[in-house]
Amino acid sequence: MKSTIKILKKVLLVIELFFAIIIINWEKSLFVGIIALDQYLKIRVMDSMTLGESIPIVDNFFHFTYVLNPGAAFGILPNQRVFFLCTGAVLLLATAYFYPRIKKNDRLLKFGVINLVSGSTSNLIDRFQTGYVVDFLDFRIWPIFNIADVAIVFGMCVVIYFVAFNMENKD
């Protein structure tokens, strides 16, 4: 009985620590979570599909299609690996400098910036490793993309919304 209580206390402590990390440091959890999810799904796609293969999830609407993108969004600026690596590094350095200066209560702005930077970081990892970004989400009416791209676009929309509607008038 005492050993069972001891085990339960340890399990509760681990759960409590887990939630404390998420609640107290939601920013790091979100950043790492987006990168981890995107990288995990890209690895699964590369391991289980052949390049160019397309698996219908919802016929003629949504497929998993494995492609390598040598450019930016929608394939623009193909084969500009050095440019993208430098741009990504500048974004990370700028974020490292400016992010701590965002007010603590501007959570919406922080949320948008974290999405933007984590998506960019995940794609930067791909570019650094291979020179390409793995894309796999295919809605057939839009260029193929990945979770990092979703985070980038979503983050940018949140930042634009914040700047347009939530910034206090400041000198």
Side-chain angles (χ1 to χ4, degrees):
M1 185 70 166
K2 286 185 180 182
S3 63
T4 305
I5 292 173
K6 206 174 196 179
I7 292 171
L8 284 174
K9 283 183 178 181
K10 287 181 180 181
V11 168
L12 288 174
L13 180 62
V14 169
I15 291 170
E16 185 179 332
L17 286 172
F18 174 74
F19 283 107
I21 290 168
I22 290 174
I23 292 168
I24 292 170
N25 210 333
W26 66 270
E27 296 153 291
K28 289 180 184 173
S29 298
L30 180 61
F31 179 78
V32 171
I34 290 171
I35 294 171
L37 176 63
D38 185 59
Q39 290 296 309
Y40 172 76
L41 291 173
K42 288 174 178 177
I43 289 167
R44 293 284 302 177
V45 166
M46 290 185 294
D47 286 348
S48 62
M49 298 177 69
T50 59
L51 190 59
E53 182 180 359
S54 186
I55 300 170
I57 306 302
V58 178
D59 276 334
N60 297 318
F61 177 70
F62 177 61
H63 293 224
F64 281 159
T65 304
Y66 175 23
V67 297
L68 296 175
N69 182 355
F74 316 119
I76 60 173
L77 299 172
N79 303 311
Q80 299 297 317
R81 181 180 184 193
V82 173
F83 171 74
F84 292 126
L85 289 173
C86 291
T87 303
V90 167
L91 176 66
L92 289 175
L93 290 171
T95 303
Y97 178 78
F98 287 109
Y99 190 83
R101 289 161 175 75
I102 297 174
K103 287 183 179 179
K104 200 172 194 173
N105 61 345
D106 287 340
R107 289 190 179 111
L108 184 63
L109 179 59
K110 287 184 173 199
F111 181 74
V113 170
I114 291 167
N115 273 275
L116 175 63
V117 173
S118 61
S120 299
T121 301
S122 191
N123 281 342
L124 188 63
I125 291 168
D126 289 6
R127 289 187 197 288
F128 184 75
Q129 290 176 339
T130 65
Y132 299 96
V133 172
V134 175
D135 288 334
F136 55 91
L137 299 172
D138 182 3
F139 280 92
R140 300 291 160 149
I141 58 168
W142 197 259
I144 302 167
F145 57 98
N146 59 44
I147 299 297
D149 296 336
V150 173
I152 292 167
V153 171
F154 181 67
M156 200 66 228
C157 290
V158 170
V159 168
I160 290 169
Y161 175 85
F162 180 86
V163 169
F165 298 107
N166 289 332
M167 284 195 61
E168 298 170 6
N169 292 331
K170 298 177 184 169
D171 293 331

